[in-house]
Amino acid sequence: MTKSPDSKTRSQTGGTDLLSLRAQLARAEKAARRAPTPPPARPENLRLKPVKPQREVELAGVDTSEHSLSRAHARLRDAVYDGKYHLCSHAIGHARAEGFLEHDIIQVLVAGRVRAVYPEDRRWLVCGYFEACGVALPLHVVVEHAHDGYLDVVTAFVPKQPHHIISRARLAVMLRYDDERIRTRTATPGNKPGNRSKGKWKKGA
């Protein structure tokens, strides 16, 4: 008994449909394997909040134009590579208090970027990062430049808001507070004769 042409055509069509279905399934499996696994949803208290825009009053007297930043960045690199910089006591004090080293400050000067120029104070704000226990933390460094090309690293600190630029008023308050604390407080070298307690901080003259 011979098969009719219609039955042969139906069998060929069915085989073609089965092959195309297998090919579609294989492509779908490959696409599913290539698709990245979505990260787990964070709790509400751990979700990243959008950064609030900085107020314009805080940027009074601060130059953030691209031209000024590029010029300051070039002068910063030249001074650092030539060794024309000096770490002031403010920067060293903040480094010891906040857990970073003088080496981290120099690393920010080398690898960081100038984000703000304070023309009236002849200062630059250099922003970068330092590593602590395998975690990269933001570090802001303020340098004061002189006409002869030398730089004074006046202070360095870990910012609470890394994306914001510190205002001139807040920077002045920070430096004045540090300066008064360093000048008016001195440590006694040791216990006084006949005194068992440890030496305490005393106000200087």
Side-chain angles (χ1 to χ4, degrees), residues 3-194:
K3 294 183 179 180
S4 62
D6 294 340
S7 61
K8 290 182 179 180
T9 304
R10 284 196 298 270
S11 62
Q12 291 177 358
T13 305
T16 305
D17 293 342
L18 184 59
L19 291 176
S20 62
L21 180 60
R22 287 180 178 177
Q24 291 178 4
L25 290 176
R27 287 195 295 267
E29 290 178 357
K30 288 182 179 180
R33 287 195 296 267
R34 292 176 181 176
T37 304
R42 290 189 176 186
E44 288 291 338
N45 57 342
L46 296 180
R47 289 186 180 178
L48 298 177
K49 298 180 180 179
V51 180
K52 295 182 180 180
Q54 194 165 3
R55 296 184 301 173
E56 294 184 3
V57 66
E58 296 179 355
L59 299 178
V62 181
D63 189 0
T64 57
S65 63
E66 189 65 28
H67 177 67
S68 299
L69 296 182
S70 60
R71 287 185 58 190
H73 192 74
R75 293 181 59 185
L76 172 68
R77 289 294 178 271
D78 294 340
V80 172
Y81 290 149
D82 294 340
K84 297 181 178 180
Y85 60 88
H86 168 69
L87 294 177
C88 297
S89 57
H90 302 284
I92 298 175
H94 275 277
R96 295 175 180 175
E98 300 190 25
F100 55 90
L101 304 174
E102 290 86 344
H103 170 75
D104 298 323
I105 299 176
I106 305 303
Q107 181 64 25
V108 170
L109 296 180
V110 173
R113 298 294 301 179
V114 178
R115 286 198 57 202
V117 176
Y118 306 89
E120 298 182 13
D121 305 322
R122 301 186 60 83
R123 291 171 180 164
W124 304 327
L125 176 65
V126 188
C127 302
Y129 293 89
F130 75 101
E131 186 175 347
C133 300
V135 179
L137 299 176
L139 181 61
H140 288 187
V141 180
V142 179
V143 298
E144 185 173 338
H145 59 93
H147 292 286
D148 55 0
Y150 278 85
L151 301 179
D152 285 335
V153 182
V154 294
T155 189
F157 57 94
V158 178
K160 293 183 179 179
Q161 296 178 334
H163 301 284
H164 285 186
I165 296 173
I166 186 171
S167 62
R168 290 184 63 232
R170 185 172 180 81
L171 180 59
V173 170
M174 179 190 298
L175 295 176
R176 184 166 60 249
Y177 173 75
D178 290 343
D179 189 50
E180 291 176 356
R181 184 175 59 178
I182 292 174
R183 287 185 179 180
T184 61
R185 292 181 180 272
T186 56
T188 55
N191 296 339
K192 294 182 179 180

